[in-house]
Amino acid sequence: MIKSMLHGVGIASIACFMACNEGGKTADTASSQADALASLVDSTVNPAQDFFDYANGGWIKNNPIPPEYSAWGIGNLVKEELYKRLRTINEKAVENPNDPTSRKIAAFWKSGMDSVRINADGIKPIEAQLKAIDAATTPAELLKLAAVQNIGTSVMCGIYIGQDAKNSEVISVQLMQGGLGLPNRDYYFNTDPRTTKIREAYPAHVAAMLQFTGLDSEAAKAAAANVIQLETLLAKSSRKLEALRDPEANYHKMPVKQLNKLSPNIDWDAFIKQQGITQFADTVIVGQPEFFTALSNAITSQPLATWKNYLKWSLMNSNAAMLSDTIANTDFAFYGKLLKGQEKQKPRWKRVLDTEEAAMGEALGQLFVKEFFNATAKKRYENMVEEIRGALKTRIEHLTWMSDSTKQKALYKLSKISKKVGYPDKWKDFSAMDIKEQSYAANIQAAQLWWHQYSVNKLGKPVDRTEWDMTPQTYNAYYNPSNNEIVLPAGIFTVPGKRDEELDDALVYGYAGASTIGHEITHGFDDEGRQFDAVGNLKSWWTKEDEKKFNERAAVMIKQFDNYVVVDSLRINGKATLGENIADLGGILLGWDAFQKTEQFKKGEKIAGYSPAQRYFMGYSLGWLSHTKKEDLARKVMTDVHSPAKFRVNGPFSDVDAFYEVYGVKPGDGMYRADSVRVRIW
């Protein structure tokens, strides 16, 4: 329901906000620079045939994907600038750790950059856990180890603490399917050549990782086969990507006693308490009950030795990046090269920054915004949120397919959407995070434990609706249905190499107003978000007739995207990507409505040869400037609820009447869709 996953210890989506005063460039100097949009264009492409290739193709031709990446685009360009700035922050902290936060940053950075110690330690950081697994003699002992190992990972299943979807004022313990080493269940069963190649390579990779635990090659090969058989059992009872997007179907609140009946071979009271969750956990929310029945059955149907090797493999898999280069490189050969098409790893300093961002990114963010955040730009985007909100209000009021009673509730929900722009008003306190002069692995484990305890401490307390789940320097944004809020970190508005005041409204309304602000607001009314009410509860507020009409219109979009072939014969999954596709289309329409009220649109003066209307659509396309290796495209089509970048432009533009008018799109053009099959929702 968001442009990417919410914050967690495994997330390292980072970027920077360039809307800062870095010296006083004059207007003449700014105008002499290459135009941010014109420089990207491939003029050999007809925009009515393939707008993505037209708007971004010039840049793509001249900017091949670097060997350490599987994709390259706008997010990477922003992130590269941030890497340099965050590295400077870390190096300054090492030179002058004059406060507790700087000392933690310095300690984390030094431990991560100490490759000599990391390589000398080898597998030492997880040796004690491996020995404990070897010592287990009963399923109960093994489950106790799995419960502890689950902290910071998702061994066996996923457990997290968050808002109750049907009572957003309450924080609950929630369980969901998980425990797979491949990206999702389809990798275990799909028979296309690309997926088959990955599945066939998987046993050798698991075996190679198990050899690091002390197994010889033959024993590791046999153990890997059993582990994969176990994972395949779990995968059979795992839901598909599109099925996981139905919030009602993935909500099953029950007492822990009922969960024990559902999966009787696991003592869930003990399992939950062994994670340090000792209060307010008599009731849990289970996402996929059938998975937990299958997990329980596997506890007794699979030999203890198989489970022990599974835990060892999971331990190696989740910790490989923080262990020796030999182990990390073996992990990369499968997950980086084969799955994503990367030719080599990022340099260590970038990987350490990624991990540090996940561990304590908000601490970095406090230092970052002091130097790089522009208050004028913040106000620009806060105002734009209200303009976009107003555009959706007008659209809802003029809908012909929705009844007045549902309209009034939709308008009320829209009025209650809260906005968070730039950075938090209240920062997280990392003083209790035990980052210090110790091994890199120990610092990462300390961060994982801190985040786990941070979540546990929320149980039984009022929901903190001021909290941010992304850092200010993140090049991303999200809509949180439980809080009915849009969260827009400073980084998401960045255009690399440009200050905010250098950007014309046409570009900004497309790039930020449509692809970010309008997109996130529309998420409140997509196929999932529309099921939550104004205060964030999963509760029906639609008439049955209006719901039917919405679904009929959404079905048109599902069909449209089902027909897009991405790589080889692999098509977009229209159901799985529906929410993001609706948000993309909604964002474009809302951004356009708001932009038409600006002085730039009314004056109609060209910049770099392009009209304001043309620059609006080019500005939106800038937000998806990127190209991706085939391997990673295939992975994303199977695992991501977002359509690939090209189709986030060409797909929704083909449904926008204004686009046809601006670019003269006619029947027979690649971008043309008959009026009768264009998507009409919001």
Side-chain angles (χ1 to χ4, degrees), residues 181 272 290 587:
I272 292 169
E290 69 279 11

Side-chain angles (χ1 to χ4, degrees), residues 104-151:
K104 288 184 188 294
I105 290 171
F108 196 96
W109 173 254
K110 287 195 294 182
S111 69
M113 293 302 293
D114 190 355
S115 58
V116 173
R117 178 175 180 179
I118 291 168
N119 286 325
D121 282 348
I123 204 167
K124 183 179 177 182
I126 59 171
E127 264 185 351
Q129 290 165 278
L130 290 169
K131 288 178 180 177
I133 293 170
D134 278 331
T137 58
T138 66
E141 290 175 3
L142 212 64
L143 284 166
K144 182 177 181 179
L145 294 172
V148 176
Q149 191 176 318
N150 190 281
I151 297 172

Side-chain angles (χ1 to χ4, degrees), residues 570-607:
L570 198 58
R571 296 173 183 266
I572 293 175
N573 184 331
K575 285 186 178 179
T577 58
L578 179 60
E580 297 298 332
N581 297 333
I582 290 174
D584 284 340
L585 175 57
I588 294 163
L589 295 172
L590 298 178
W592 175 254
D593 290 351
F595 175 57
Q596 289 180 89
K597 296 180 179 180
T598 65
E599 287 301 309
Q600 183 183 3
F601 179 84
K602 292 173 183 176
K603 288 180 179 178
E605 296 173 357
K606 290 186 177 181
I607 297 177

Side-chain angles (χ1 to χ4, degrees), residues 622-636:
L622 172 63
W624 307 115
L625 172 71
S626 66
H627 54 138
T628 306
K629 292 189 176 181
K630 285 187 175 182
E631 295 88 344
D632 205 29
L633 266 179
R635 179 187 67 85
K636 288 177 178 176

